[in-house]
Amino acid sequence: MYLELYFSTVVLKLTLSLKIFESRIRNMAELSSQIEKLDKHNYQPWKFQMRNYLIRKNLWSFITGIELKPVMHATNPTEEQIRNFNQWNEKDKMVMFVLSQNISNSMIGHI
């Protein structure tokens, strides 16, 4: 009974996190669309704009490596470890989404 309640709570939290994540992704797509996509001619302005955008969104630490993936014990993670991992994972996905939306298709193979 306890395990069922625990897993139901975890599923509910993940569902809510997913809805929040989807909303944030939509907002980020709208804002980041103002940045010209990276191509072979515009690296410096793209870098400047992308850096400032990610700083404003509190995501630059993922690029610099300051924000490290939290440790989560595989066999018996605590609620705090799960929460920290889920928050980190959500932000990591946001960074990847923003970057992928702001790089021209012709540059993807060079990354």
Side-chain angles (χ1 to χ4, degrees):
M1 180 72 171
Y2 175 75
L3 284 176
E4 289 176 18
L5 180 60
Y6 173 76
F7 286 117
S8 295
T9 303
V10 170
V11 168
L12 178 61
K13 288 179 181 178
L14 288 174
T15 302
L16 292 173
S17 292
L18 180 59
K19 288 181 182 185
I20 292 168
F21 175 71
E22 289 171 345
S23 173
R24 288 181 181 169
I25 287 292
R26 279 191 298 275
N27 291 339
M28 293 186 86
E30 291 170 8
L31 292 172
S32 69
S33 66
Q34 298 170 5
I35 299 171
E36 186 177 345
K37 289 187 176 196
L38 175 66
D39 62 28
K40 61 183 178 179
H41 303 290
N42 68 344
Y43 176 72
Q44 289 301 324
W46 178 87
K47 177 183 167 186
F48 176 77
Q49 292 173 338
M50 186 58 61
R51 180 179 183 273
N52 286 316
Y53 179 80
L54 292 171
I55 288 171
R56 184 176 73 195
K57 293 296 183 181
N58 295 318
L59 298 171
W60 184 246
S61 59
F62 283 80
I63 303 298
T64 62
I66 293 171
E67 185 83 28
L68 299 176
K69 188 174 185 177
V71 175
M72 186 164 70
H73 300 293
T75 56
N76 194 18
T78 65
E79 285 186 35
E80 182 181 2
Q81 289 172 334
I82 293 170
R83 183 178 58 254
N84 289 341
F85 178 81
N86 288 337
Q87 289 172 350
W88 180 90
N89 198 38
E90 181 180 322
K91 287 182 177 182
D92 185 62
K93 288 177 184 178
M94 281 189 245
V95 169
M96 291 301 295
F97 176 80
V98 168
L99 290 174
S100 70
Q101 296 301 301
N102 288 284
I103 298 173
S104 67
N105 289 340
S106 64
M107 296 301 291
I108 297 291
H110 301 286
I111 298 173

